[in-house]
Amino acid sequence: MVRFHHVSVSVADLDAQRRWYADALGFTEVVEQFEVPEAGVRTAVVQTGGGTRIELIERAGSTRPETFADPVDVLRVQGYGHWALEVDDLDATYARLTGAGARAVWPPADAVRPGARFGYVKDLEGNLIELIQPA
């Protein structure tokens, strides 16, 4: 059996990103933290009350090689482009996140699946997040 465990995001400011993901999306439970001082690495795995996890990893001196405007732009390169969260109320979640500093990318819209909706935001550091409200 295979189940989703977590997604990992390299960040510039671990403390700021932890606060934002906790305040904006409810990733308040710290599952694991560790440091590798010789590599300048700090990490935290945090999760929501529902068990969704994200690992935030900060490495001193890391850089973002490229910035993407939206989900179509990210397809110019191979690899991971975004991660998606299922939400109960897309409009409320989108408004809450943009109110908490997320950058609006694609406003809530109808999805391909009838009755489903989606939208995209970027977190404080520009990482792309898709929000999906199922049918």
Side-chain angles (χ1 to χ4, degrees):
M1 171 187 261
V2 176
R3 292 184 302 265
F4 181 80
H5 191 271
H6 73 273
V7 65
S8 173
V9 177
S10 178
V11 300
D13 186 334
L14 178 64
D15 299 324
Q17 287 289 75
R18 275 184 62 182
R19 280 190 302 276
W20 189 81
Y21 275 92
D23 295 344
L25 285 166
F27 284 86
T28 56
E29 183 182 341
V30 178
V31 175
E32 183 178 278
Q33 298 182 93
F34 67 91
E35 292 188 30
V36 183
E38 61 274 10
V41 171
R42 296 187 317 135
T43 186
V45 177
V46 291
Q47 75 178 13
T48 65
T52 302
R53 295 179 182 183
I54 183 171
E55 180 178 21
L56 302 169
I57 302 174
E58 174 191 276
R59 181 171 183 182
S62 66
T63 61
R64 181 176 301 276
E66 194 165 355
T67 302
F68 303 102
D70 58 48
V72 175
D73 189 36
V74 78
L75 299 175
R76 291 184 293 110
V77 298
Q78 296 177 356
Y80 294 101
H82 71 271
W83 67 299
L85 294 171
E86 183 176 307
V87 300
D88 293 330
D89 185 335
L90 177 61
D91 294 314
T93 303
Y94 196 89
R96 185 176 73 248
L97 294 182
T98 55
R103 283 176 265 156
V105 176
W106 282 4
D110 291 338
V112 173
R113 181 170 293 216
R117 300 179 69 231
F118 76 106
Y120 283 88
V121 298
K122 288 185 178 182
D123 70 13
L124 297 181
E125 293 186 4
N127 299 299
L128 195 58
I129 303 169
E130 181 178 12
L131 305 170
I132 300 172
Q133 180 179 318

